Structures are given as structure tokens and as C-alpha cells.
Amino acid sequence: MKDFDRAGHEVSAAERAALERPQLYVSPHPPPSMARLESSRLLRKVNTIRMMWKGSKNLLDLIHPELANRRWNVVRAGGETIVTVNDADFARHVLQANPDNYVKGRLYEIIFSRFLRKSSLTMDGETWRQRRRLISPAFNARAIKGVEAIVARHVEAMLGTWGEAADAGRPVDLTHDVGELAMRIAMEAFFSADMGEDPARIGALMDKVITDAGSPPFADIMNLPAWIPRRSRRKAMAWLDELDAWLYPLIDARLARREAGEAEPAAPDLLDILVHAKDAETGAFLDRASIRNEVLTLFAAGHETTALSFAWGLDRLSREPEWQDRLAAAAAEAEAGAPLDPAAARAVPLLPAAYDEILRLYPPAFSIGRQATAADRFEDVEIAPGTRIQIVIGMIHRNPRYWEAPGVFDPERFLPANRAGRHPFAHIPFGGGPRICVGLALARLEGVMVLARALPRFRLAPDGPPPEPVGKITLRTREPVTMRVSRRG
């Protein structure tokens, strides 16, 4: 490993090999082999408890590393049957071919119900379909068009601070900067105005609530009886109360306007759209609590996953100087004297392709869970009611059955000519089927704009070894990520 210096951290051959290994996460203390586990019932029980305990701190430890070489694995844990999936056909069966048989299930209740209550993230069946109809207008083409200028302005503000860091020769706190960027975009997109210092305070509260929710008590993961003591969530509930004290007055003011007969504004923000959304089939509006639940769901999930994609992706690009130069040149060639707007950025094929490659290697939602409500079958897997299905997106995205040299960063995989024939569920960073993420267009807008505006102006260099992954609700880094930037000539 080479030394760090003011120019950044040079990637050694050993580090390059680690970057390009097929799997992102390698446990320092791996479990016994699947063959050993299959030969001993006692060992399986001991290992289940061990993995569940480790999983309460890092959910990636719940995934046996040998799953990388299997299409799926079936285990019994905590009184449940769990099928862990590393197969695009199986994922398509659960998420698209037979989605009504698979609900979010118990684990989603454990993680989300106290914080988000009843929202589109946790609902199922007809209740979910009705809610999805109501929230979809907040992310349609008109709504996304309305936030394009907001995204561009806040990206420029972040890059202004990068220029100052470049001139001073100091690293940028990438985790902080992209978190604040995503938060400020979300704040203005939802609530019309930039909220001054509130993004820092609200961002910190959101981060603490999401972290707590993503670390469910060990007793809950093991499905132990209710009388078994659980870790207290009193602090998390206090943080949530503080969020509600900030959010409810904003909602109430909009509801008061609607009830006074005011129409939806000509240029609505996302909260306006939710407040005025009326179900075409029932004529119902969202009530106050439902608006709160959806705002928190969309706000928390959207800003955090987008920020994580930037932290992982820009750090990886800092270690890929040749790709940086190619992307910077492609964007600069298209600029014609002015920074690219969203439409022009999307028209440079390598830019959206690069963001897709970032999402392939580092999907913020690295796993999707479902629970069977009725008996089903996929190939030779008998699926009984209550069976939990865990689709490991992070492994499917690096599965050599679908991807050549899966650990290598190569945006050309996503150029239109190279997509032909690829399994449609080999790349599912936003999920798939009817429950595909409603906010994907906004996330892509932000991702492409960051690449289009940052890379022609700055050269990125790493400021340390690659981040270590930690699985919470999302794919986080163990420590904040820093990076060196310098102005391009």
C-alpha cells in the first residue's frame, strides 16, 4: 500500500485487485462453509444465532458468502424459512410474475412500522395500489421537470465549495457534502423554499432515525417472544417527535389552504401535489397522517439512497482516472460553452451509463425482502406460506452469469448497443415489477447532473483506502468518505 499525500492516495495493485473482486463485502470472520453447515444440525443452529447477532450490527453478515456461487440458498432461522436469492429469474418471479403473493412481511414491520407507520413502503394489496395512485403524480414527468432547476442550482452550490477546497489543497468531506446536497434538493423540491439551516438539523435527525431503524433489536430479528427484553428505542422516538414537530405545521398550512378552497398552485412543489392528490376511483384525498407518513417515507428514503450512491460512486471514480477523463471529455464536448442542463446531460450516453454502473456496483438498496402469503413454487423450490424471500440485489448485480468481470468499473455495459439481450432483472437498483421505486426518475436526474457538472471541472483523487461497507437499511460506509479535488486546466 502506498503512502497518502496531498495529491491523494494512489491505488496500489493490491488495492486494485480488492476493488475489482466480484463481491463487495468480504467478512473478516466468515461463517463455516455451506457443506459443513448442511452436515450438522447443531452447527447450523449455532451459526444461525451467530449470524443473526452479527446481522443486527451489519445486515451484510446475514448473507452467506458462498451464495455468490449459488442461485439461491434455503435455511431455517428464528422459526422461519428464508430463501436468499442470487438469481434474476427468481427475482422476476417474486417481484413481477407473481407479486400479489409476496408482501413486505414481518421484517419491514420491525424496521419501519414505528417510524413510518402505514405508508406506501409497508402497505400491500389494494391498500398499497390506492396509495401508489395518489403519490405517483408527485414523481411524474411534469413534477420532475419542475425540480430540474433546483437540482442544477444545488449541484452548483456544492461544486463552489469544492472549488474552495481545491484552491486550499484540503480534502472534501464527500459524505457530508453529498448528504447535504441531497437533503437541500429534497427540502426545496418538497417544500418550495430552501430551508436555511434546517437541512443540517433535519438531515442529522433523519440520519439518526434511519440508522436506528436499520439496526433492529436482535430479539426481533430472531422472532423471539415479546417478553424477551429489547434494546430501547426511546431516543429514536424522541428524534421522530422532533421531526414531526417540524413537519406537521408545514402539512397543516397546506391543508388549510386546500380546505379554504385554494387550488393547487400553477408550479406546485411535491407537498402541494400530495395535498391535492385525489384518487380517481374513490375521490379520496390523503389525510393528514397519511401525508406525513408518505413525506417521511419519500423524503428519508429518497435523500439517503441518492446521497449514498454519490458517496460510493464518486469515491470509485476517484480511483478510476481513465474513466474520469473519458466522462469529463464527453461532458465537456457537449457543453458548448455552458454547463449541461438535464436534457443535454442525458443526451451524452456515457453519463447516464456511468450512473447506472455506479448503481450496479453499489446499489444503495442492496437487498429486497418479501414474504409469501400462499404456497408457490419456483423451479424445484417449494415455497410455503410465510416463507421469507430475500433478493440480494448487490449479488445479482455482480453475478458473473450476467456480467463479465463483474467487479470492474465499466460504464460501456450500459450503452444502448450493449444492453441488448441482458436479463431485465440483472440490474434492479430501484427494484422491479409494480413496486419499482416511485422516485427513480428524480434519483437519476440528480445522479446524472452531478456527473455532468462535476467531472468537466474537477479531477477527483482518493484520500484513503476504499470505504468498508455496512448494511443497515441501505448500503452505508463504515466511516465518512473524504476525497481530494483539483481543478481541471
Side-chain angles (χ1 to χ4, degrees):
M1 186 73 70
K2 299 188 178 181
D3 292 336
F4 302 163
D5 59 29
R6 287 177 61 84
H9 173 76
E10 188 172 349
V11 179
S12 68
E15 192 169 283
R16 171 62 56 192
L19 273 177
E20 295 184 353
R21 68 192 177 206
Q23 294 307 315
L24 174 63
Y25 179 67
V26 176
S27 173
H29 305 290
S33 69
M34 286 185 174
R36 285 191 63 204
L37 292 172
E38 289 165 356
S39 68
S40 170
R41 184 177 179 184
L42 176 60
L43 186 59
R44 286 198 302 274
K45 287 187 174 182
V46 171
N47 185 65
T48 294
I49 294 171
R50 174 179 175 268
M51 288 184 71
M52 293 294 185
W53 175 255
K54 292 176 67 179
S56 66
K57 299 174 175 60
N58 184 351
L59 292 173
L60 297 174
D61 280 308
L62 293 175
I63 304 165
H64 198 290
E66 289 181 27
L67 179 67
N69 304 314
R70 295 193 179 194
R71 295 175 66 196
W72 56 75
N73 187 45
V74 183
V75 299
R76 291 278 299 173
E80 295 179 305
T81 299
I82 302 172
V83 183
T84 312
V85 175
N86 176 23
D87 182 82
D89 285 320
F90 206 151
R92 178 164 57 182
H93 175 80
V94 171
L95 299 176
Q96 185 179 71
N98 194 16
D100 288 342
N101 189 55
Y102 295 95
V103 298
K104 289 300 185 77
R106 185 181 66 83
L107 199 58
Y108 278 79
E109 285 293 315
I110 292 170
I111 293 174
F112 295 112
S113 62
R114 290 193 182 188
F115 304 100
L116 304 178
R117 300 168 193 155
K118 290 295 183 182
S119 77
S120 55
L121 186 67
T122 57
M123 290 174 169
D124 288 295
E126 185 54 38
T127 306
W128 168 79
R129 279 186 280 271
Q130 181 184 12
R131 182 61 57 86
R132 179 74 172 223
R133 289 195 299 269
L134 281 165
I135 68 173
S136 290
F139 296 94
N140 63 18
R142 168 185 172 237
I144 297 303
K145 184 70 176 175
V147 301
E148 286 183 349
I150 295 170
V151 172
R153 178 158 38 81
H154 287 295
V155 169
E156 286 300 312
M158 181 184 76
L159 297 183
T161 68
W162 286 15
E164 295 170 4
D167 296 341
R170 66 172 185 266
V172 299
D173 184 338
L174 184 59
T175 297
H176 169 271
D177 287 358
V178 297
E180 182 166 291
L181 169 67
M183 176 60 69
R184 286 187 177 276
I185 290 171
M187 293 280 274
E188 190 166 350
F190 268 98
F191 309 116
S192 291
D194 190 355
M195 307 293 285
E197 294 304 311
D198 259 358
R201 181 174 70 88
I202 299 305
L205 287 170
M206 287 282 191
D207 186 71
K208 289 188 285 189
V209 168
I210 291 169
T211 300
D212 188 276
S215 305
F218 175 69
D220 285 340
I221 293 180
M222 290 295 292
N223 203 21
L224 298 178
W227 55 267
I228 299 290
R230 263 75 170 166
R231 173 176 55 82
S232 172
R233 288 187 158 180
R234 187 175 303 167
K235 285 186 178 179
M237 299 313 294
W239 299 326
L240 191 65
D241 287 343
E242 193 173 344
L243 281 173
D244 282 342
W246 163 78
L247 179 56
Y248 270 126
L250 299 175
I251 295 171
D252 290 342
R254 306 296 178 91
L255 288 173
R257 294 178 205 165
R258 190 191 75 191
E259 290 165 5
E262 291 188 23
E264 182 179 289
D269 57 30
L270 301 185
L271 181 56
D272 283 323
I273 294 172
L274 289 176
V275 166
H276 288 273
K278 182 186 290 188
D279 191 284
E281 296 183 13
T282 67
F285 289 107
L286 288 168
D287 62 27
R288 178 178 187 259
S290 296
I291 294 170
R292 174 265 187 203
N293 297 347
E294 293 304 333
V295 169
L296 275 186
T297 297
L298 298 168
F299 196 61
H303 101 268
E304 198 218 13
T305 53
T306 303
L308 287 171
S309 74
F310 297 155
W312 282 108
L314 293 174
D315 176 83
R316 182 61 183 261
L317 273 169
S318 76
R319 303 169 199 279
E320 305 285 349
E322 293 181 5
W323 268 111
Q324 265 194 76
D325 290 344
R326 283 188 63 180
L327 292 165
E333 184 179 359
E335 283 182 341
L340 295 177
D341 63 23
R346 287 191 294 268
V348 179
L350 274 178
L351 293 176
Y355 191 57
D356 275 334
E357 179 70 340
I358 288 168
L359 293 173
R360 182 186 71 84
L361 288 167
Y362 308 102
F366 65 91
S367 184
I368 293 178
R370 294 290 187 269
Q371 193 160 11
T373 59
D376 193 16
R377 182 184 181 91
F378 177 78
E379 295 186 10
D380 62 350
V381 182
E382 296 285 350
I383 301 169
T387 298
R388 267 180 45 203
I389 309 291
Q390 207 64 33
I391 299 167
V392 187
I393 293 172
M395 280 193 167
I396 293 174
H397 281 191
R398 291 170 176 251
N399 190 324
R401 294 174 61 217
Y402 312 117
W403 308 96
E404 184 178 352
V408 172
F409 183 85
D410 182 10
E412 286 190 343
R413 305 174 196 272
F414 291 97
L415 293 178
N418 297 330
R419 290 176 177 266
R422 182 176 298 145
H423 196 297
F425 275 67
H427 185 252
I428 49 173
F430 300 101
R435 298 197 74 143
I436 193 168
C437 176
V438 71
L440 68 89
L442 179 57
R444 287 192 183 282
L445 166 63
E446 295 181 43
V448 173
M449 284 300 290
V450 167
L451 298 179
R453 295 288 181 94
L455 296 181
R457 291 156 63 179
F458 295 101
R459 182 169 282 106
L460 316 180
D463 191 47
E468 294 182 45
V470 176
K472 295 298 181 182
I473 298 174
T474 49
L475 184 67
R476 293 185 160 212
T477 61
R478 185 171 298 280
E479 302 293 338
V481 181
T482 58
M483 183 177 69
R484 299 274 175 176
V485 295
S486 58
R487 295 185 187 273
R488 289 186 180 269

